Amino acid sequence: MLDAQPPDFSETPSTETQPTEPADPSEPGDGWAPARPLAIAGSLTAGVAVAAGLPPWGWWPITLLGLAAWAALLAGASPRARFWRSFGVGVGWFAPSLLWMVTFTPPGYVIAIAVFSTLLGLAGLATPPGRARALALPAALAITELVRYHAPFGGVPLSMTALTQAEGPLAPIARLGGPLLLTIGIAAVGVGLEAAIRRRWTHAAAAIAPVLVIAVLGAMAPSGNAVRPLRVAIVQGGGPQGTVALNTDPADVFDRHLEASRSVPGDGAVDLVLWPENVVNVSNKLATDSVDPVLAAEARRLDAPLVVGVVESVDADQFANFSIVYGPDGSTGSRYDKQRRVPFGEYVPFRPLVEPFGGGLLPTRDQLPGTGPAVLDLPLADGTDVKAATLISWEVFFPRLVREGVAAGAELVINPTNGASYWLTLVQSQQVANSRLRAIESGRWVLQAAPTGFSAVVDPAGDVIARTAVSEERVLIETIQARSGDTIAQRTGLLLPCLASAALLLAAWAIATPGGRNRLTARFSRRRGSR
């Protein structure tokens, strides 16, 4: 257990008895022992470099250098120094990339940085300080991100490593093993660069070359098959960015989207029209509200399925957030209720304990979570149906719902969302990056619709075919393909990255223990000799 002493970024000897780790006898002179101020500055700089590759900045080569610097900071370091240096990397990483949280909850911003940085500290602690860190650090980082996909509060996957490669050359790895295998690849290149900087060319090649081969294999791997073309329209009504629901008239939001929707040619000129999340906000039931016949008439005019995002009151304590389909004949059909809620945004965990400290910033009601597969059935005007995996808002940050939707027969992915209340464009940019990764992983087109941006059309290779700007009123009309078939990532899910992480971490510590490398070499030699 870590004690309460000040963070130890340096390797200055202490009179306190420290737990010792056996040195790797094959690594004389590998350690780097900077003074505490230099180590602190190095940690923060490495973290900022990693963050520089995240959207909206997207400078992914700098991320690789940041990971190389993190690996260098761990060389020869004590357990305590590894923890605190990695914690410092986390502060540099998450303080700028989570800055949007300040306007929502300043305490939450600080807590999020502390929690995420602690996970990186544990990753550093789990990484041996010798050359075996080249195996352990990518695995340990992937394990921390696996945790963040699931906890706390069902997962908070913000500012993830994989997003730095959404438009980078390693992105095809996601087609084989999703974002976690991509994270392992990114970190492996980082530690390979560190070895190259130390002029250990063999070690550098051993780390980087397999990743490049895997990326090429990912680009060549199966990505599904085109079934039929679809002409789609994504409606963005526009309006000011950085507003909250309490200060916005729902009627204005609805009117802007209805006006934009009416610019879409009717009579079957398009096959699908997608509206954003919760642009229809009713205090009673949708079926009895005055907007229902208006939406039905618009669907009939379009002669195409109209998917609309709705917030509907359930009772004094709960509300529903769902997407619903109006068919070409104006009747309502398939409905999907959002399952993954935003903690402290759409519900308040431990409300009796937290609410007294909320300062009026917390939602007064909780969203009622949905159940069942995240799929909508879209009846087309020609009498056929298309299934769409449906992810509302930040559900696109989670790969699992896409896998479930595609397994249920989805031929495309839709992501109605609403980022109008966010300060800056950090969240919106990261959401587009997540849509790109979900497209690569699933082999499906992804359609993202937002009321004030960003709305986007993403092809199965992860390329953004069209994207809106912030606050503009615009309709994106593109021809896409409904698709069938599975990618390797779709079939295996978390299996490959979890096995790879476990194998790398175990191998690293086996090598790092006294005589571990000799034992492994002797065992390998015996097996070769027995053949």
Side-chain angles (χ1 to χ4, degrees), residues 357-382:
F357 305 98
L361 298 175
L362 299 174
T364 58
R365 297 187 298 169
D366 292 339
Q367 185 217 309
L368 187 66
T371 58
V375 174
L376 287 177
D377 292 314
L378 308 176
L380 304 184
D382 63 5

Side-chain angles (χ1 to χ4, degrees), residues 32 36-48 66 69-70 73 85 88-89:
W32 177 46
R36 181 173 294 174
L38 182 58
I40 294 173
S43 298
L44 294 174
T45 302
V48 170
W70 182 16
L73 287 163
R85 290 178 186 182
V89 171

Side-chain angles (χ1 to χ4, degrees), residues 9 40 43-49 51 83-99 109-110 112-121:
F9 286 84
I40 294 173
S43 298
L44 294 174
T45 302
V48 170
F83 176 87
W84 285 112
R85 290 178 186 182
S86 300
F87 184 94
V89 171
V91 173
W93 180 336
F94 298 115
S97 61
L98 299 178
L99 189 60
Y109 173 65
V110 175
I113 293 172
V115 171
F116 293 173
S117 298
T118 297
L119 285 172
L120 289 194

Side-chain angles (χ1 to χ4, degrees), residues 10-47:
S10 72
E11 290 297 308
T12 305
S14 170
T15 57
E16 176 188 2
T17 300
Q18 293 285 337
T20 59
E21 291 181 354
D24 186 339
S26 68
E27 304 186 50
D30 193 42
W32 177 46
R36 181 173 294 174
L38 182 58
I40 294 173
S43 298
L44 294 174
T45 302

Side-chain angles (χ1 to χ4, degrees), residues 164-180:
T164 65
Q165 279 290 319
E167 57 180 336
L170 302 183
I173 294 175
R175 187 172 291 134
L176 302 177
L180 292 180

